[in-house]
Amino acid sequence: MQIEITEKMKDYAQLCENKILSKMQGSNYTELDEPNKFYYGYIGEFAFIKWLNRAGIKYKYEVKTDGYPGAEDFLLYSNNGQQITVDVKTATKPHYKNIMMPKSQAERYTYDCYVGVLLVNDDTAKICGYCQKKDFILSELRYKIPTYYKPLNELNDMQRLSNGVIKLK
């Protein structure tokens, strides 16, 4: 599903990234120093919020601006009442084919579900699907840092996730 990236989303993502960068000293926990890494991560999260709202799914989300994951990005609730922790992974360039997670992050934090978002261009994101941690493949991709990845075209259909969670009434 295509999601419009609004100016408001961009402005808020930039504000959040600026807060993180003002607190950070040295390299971040991912060992990657990609420009605008946090900005794009927020854009992916905000696009997922739009998808959740369109699908009418009940969720909990809290913007974190400390630069470290810890708690889940999102909390959903299954139809049988269990909490589902969700982390959003954003592929930041239209030609990227995978969502990725540095091994160091994967070993410290585990979520029930990982949602893949592709930034198609500056104004459009695509919610590609979701997977579980066990679905990731360990490799050393372009950065020579042990990294888990999952091809975007192999993610589970978002409708399957939508069918298993509580909807707003």
Side-chain angles (χ1 to χ4, degrees), residues 103-165:
K103 183 179 178 190
S104 60
Q105 178 185 3
E107 290 176 345
R108 281 187 259 169
Y109 309 101
T110 299
Y111 305 96
D112 298 315
C113 175
Y114 297 83
V115 170
V117 176
L118 173 66
L119 300 184
V120 177
N121 57 45
D122 288 343
D123 300 313
T124 308
K126 179 181 178 186
I127 309 297
C128 296
Y130 76 97
C131 66
Q132 294 177 305
K133 184 177 179 180
K134 67 179 179 60
D135 300 323
F136 279 87
I137 302 158
L138 181 62
S139 180
E140 288 188 5
L141 295 172
R142 80 179 216 228
Y143 296 104
K144 306 295 182 217
I145 295 171
T147 302
Y148 285 94
Y149 75 95
K150 180 71 177 169
L152 291 166
N153 65 357
E154 294 179 15
L155 296 173
N156 299 310
D157 189 289
M158 291 300 288
Q159 187 61 48
R160 194 167 142 199
L161 177 66
S162 178
N163 291 342
V165 295

Side-chain angles (χ1 to χ4, degrees), residues 41-109:
Y42 285 113
I43 292 293
E45 289 177 11
F46 300 158
F48 183 54
I49 287 172
K50 282 183 129 179
W51 180 86
L52 289 167
N53 289 335
R54 282 186 192 167
I57 295 173
K58 179 180 177 182
Y59 67 91
K60 180 182 173 189
Y61 173 74
E62 181 180 333
V63 174
K64 292 184 274 322
T65 57
D66 60 4
Y68 290 90
E72 63 285 335
D73 286 345
F74 292 86
L75 200 57
L76 308 181
Y77 304 91
S78 72
N79 289 328
N80 65 5
Q82 293 182 317
Q83 293 184 345
I84 301 169
T85 57
V86 178
D87 190 31
V88 173
K89 295 294 173 193
T90 306
T92 61
K93 301 208 181 345
H95 63 277
Y96 284 0
K97 306 233 183 293
N98 304 304
I99 54 171
M100 300 188 308
M101 173 174 41
K103 183 179 178 190
S104 60
Q105 178 185 3
E107 290 176 345
R108 281 187 259 169
Y109 309 101

